[in-house]
Amino acid sequence: MQTSPAATRQAPRPIGPENPDQATPAPSKIRRFGLPTATALVMGNIIGGGIFMIPAAVAPFGTVSLAAFAVLTVGAIALALVFGQLARRNPRTGGPYVYAREAFGDFAGFLSAWSYWITTWVSNAALAVAAVGYLDVLVPMNHSVPLEITAALALQWLPALANLAGTRYVGAVQLVSTVLKFIPLLLVSVGGLFFFDPKNLGPFDASGQGWMGGMSAAAAILLFSYLGVESAAMSAGQVRDPERNVGRASVLGTTGAAVVYLLGTLAVFGTVAHDRLVHSSAPFSDAVNVMFGGSWGGTVIAVAALISMVGALNGWTLLSAQAPYAAAKDGLFPAVFAKEKRGVPTFGVIIGVALASGLTVLNFASGAKGAFEILVLVTTFTATVPYLLSTAAQLYWLVRGATDKVNGAHLVRDAVLGLGAFAFSLWLLAGAGYAAVYQGVLFLFAGVLVYVWLAGRRRTG
């Protein structure tokens, strides 16, 4: 919260762990996301376009990858439960930023917001580039760079316009796109079970690393399938009855995404022969072709993937404005990010989509795909920083035993959940790889100069 010069002179107290009541101010009263829309936001953001390649990506490790999926699902649900508990105590827009700042002070809160902000707009650029690939299946662009740039920018700005129109429209787009993309996914996931042939599964440990080695290797690929579990907590200020609905939406959305992931991967494993699946560039399309014959599966899956990515772009565009909005309210981001209209931080949406657009144009126009891939790799690190800080905040309140923060009757249960969620977040960080961690740290601490500037100006009035 920005304080006036007079207030600063009268009571120059720092905002931090000892003053949690001074964290992010009360959010806007515009709360139009009910439980279904909040759940769709979580599911839509978790499931982008990656699901359409996951079966082929993990096929070289064999069916042990299904066990890795199951373990990861438990960790992701533990993280969702922790976010629900944190949001119940502090149901404000900003989610992980709010929790880190309340527990550890301004600097930790800023790092969480900065890290998450980088993740959102770089991820949107990656989503738009991938979506153009699927659009090219439906409307061939013949490798025309101007056409590819135009398509990618349209795929980014249309969801941004829905965001600028207000939370009601964001919710409508998210709900509709989530329903539409799950129809073909469920068709393959459930329908594929009727065409299931155990002979197609291949060996349990196809890589020869042993079941533990194979599971760990598969998990390194699958770890980031659950990024987005924090979506409802990040938008808590726009959710009706956030004390109840944020936690429920986080768990329901994560569980729903897990069911689709697991059933979809199992169905593709059982319908497409293992030796063919290992080399497949379109596993869901191959599964549809096996199930129904012909070669039209590619078109169906391209439509589903495009809808899936547009829905993810819609949700991540909203999230790209939420963390800076909450931080700007506290003077830890430029004040312009705190401007709100129709329940949406408009400047945050515009600057987020502008940065993503610039990165997208750079990718297509200059052919700098190496630099682009590095940035995408960095997001695998920056996305996990807010998770670690949030779960650490939960453990901090449990250790302190603060009666207003901790439910004493469920102390052991909450401690187990908190430790499990922290371990899951640490696993995510380790799975990012050395290069991502190294480069991500550079991006993260580049923001220190921004913090120094804003914090210094705030303290001097």
Side-chain angles (χ1 to χ4, degrees):
M1 179 186 297
Q2 290 192 21
T3 54
S4 66
T8 302
R9 288 191 295 270
Q10 292 170 7
R13 291 196 302 162
I15 301 174
E18 300 305 321
N19 299 291
D21 57 306
Q22 294 185 29
T24 310
S28 167
K29 293 182 179 179
I30 301 176
R31 293 179 178 175
R32 294 175 180 165
F33 289 173
L35 179 60
T37 303
T39 302
L41 182 66
V42 175
M43 293 181 71
N45 285 354
I46 289 177
I47 300 181
I51 185 175
F52 297 98
M53 284 305 300
I54 280 177
V58 297
F61 305 104
T63 52
V64 70
S65 55
L66 296 175
F69 240 140
V71 173
L72 289 174
T73 298
V74 173
I77 291 175
L79 185 60
L81 288 167
V82 168
F83 276 124
Q85 292 173 345
L86 290 166
R88 191 176 302 116
R89 292 193 295 265
N90 202 334
R92 297 169 182 173
T93 292
Y97 157 76
V98 174
Y99 314 142
R101 182 172 182 266
E102 183 184 29
F104 307 120
D106 288 356
F107 187 58
F110 171 81
L111 288 180
S112 180
W114 177 263
S115 182
Y116 197 82
W117 183 58
I118 291 173
T119 300
T120 53
W121 59 265
V122 175
S123 295
N124 274 357
L127 275 170
V129 171
V132 169
Y134 285 102
L135 181 62
D136 190 52
V137 175
L138 306 174
V139 184
M141 287 176 272
N142 301 316
H143 303 290
S144 169
V145 172
L147 282 178
E148 290 176 333
I149 291 176
T150 302
L153 294 181
L155 288 166
Q156 289 175 335
W157 282 93
L158 288 175
L161 292 176
N163 273 263
L164 293 173
T167 52
R168 179 175 298 176
Y169 296 94
V170 178
V173 171
Q174 197 66 30
L175 196 57
V176 170
S177 63
T178 300
V179 171
L180 287 178
K181 76 181 178 184
F182 276 108
I183 292 175
L185 286 174
L186 288 175
L187 174 66
V188 177
S189 301
V190 178
L193 299 179
F194 293 96
F195 296 85
F196 192 90
D197 185 351
K199 295 179 181 178
N200 291 326
L201 290 176
F204 178 73
D205 175 27
S207 65
Q209 304 179 51
W211 71 269
M212 181 61 75
M215 189 169 74
S216 298
I221 296 174
L222 298 171
L223 277 170
F224 305 101
S225 302
Y226 287 110
L227 293 182
V229 65
E230 77 292 341
S231 300
M234 183 61 72
S235 301
Q238 281 71 45
V239 177
R240 285 196 296 268
D241 191 10
E243 292 86 351
R244 296 180 63 230
N245 285 337
V246 166
R248 293 162 68 191
S250 298
V251 173
L252 289 174
T254 304
T255 304
V259 169
V260 173
Y261 276 143
L262 286 166
L263 283 181
T265 303
L266 180 62
V268 173
F269 272 25
T271 53
V272 182
H274 181 261
D275 57 349
R276 180 183 174 190
L277 181 59
V278 170
H279 303 288
S280 174
S281 60
F284 273 80
S285 297
D286 291 340
V288 171
N289 291 338
V290 170
M291 291 163 58
F292 303 106
S295 58
W296 51 273
T299 301
V300 172
I301 298 306
V303 171
L306 199 57
I307 293 173
S308 179
M309 291 184 179
V310 169
L313 281 165
N314 180 66
W316 282 104
T317 298
L318 175 65
L319 298 188
S320 71
Q322 300 290 20
Y325 165 81
K329 284 287 187 179
D330 298 322
L332 297 179
F333 249 68
V336 68
F337 281 92
K339 292 184 178 180
E340 189 180 23
K341 190 174 182 181
R342 290 185 289 272
V344 174
T346 52
F347 182 80
V349 169
I350 292 172
I351 194 67
V353 73
L355 287 168
S357 297
L359 185 56
T360 303
V361 172
L362 175 66
N363 175 72
F364 283 114
S366 67
K369 294 185 179 180
F372 182 77
E373 289 170 359
I374 289 173
L375 285 174
V376 172
L377 188 64
V378 166
T379 64
T380 62
F381 167 81
T382 57
T384 58
V385 172
Y387 292 177
L388 278 170
L389 289 172
S390 295
T391 53
Q394 170 75 342
L395 294 172
Y396 170 79
W397 295 121
L398 292 173
V399 171
R400 279 191 59 175
T403 56
D404 60 329
K405 305 289 182 185
V406 176
N407 186 338
H410 300 135
L411 183 61
V412 175
R413 180 203 66 183
D414 292 348
V416 171
L417 280 175
L419 288 171
F422 186 85
F424 176 72
S425 303
L426 200 60
W427 196 9
L428 281 172
L429 194 62
Y434 293 108
V437 172
Y438 169 74
Q439 293 153 356
V441 167
L442 295 180
F443 270 80
L444 184 64
F445 283 97
V448 171
L449 288 177
V450 179
Y451 174 80
V452 169
W453 172 258
L454 293 171
R457 285 176 58 86
R458 185 185 57 180
R459 291 181 185 279
T460 58

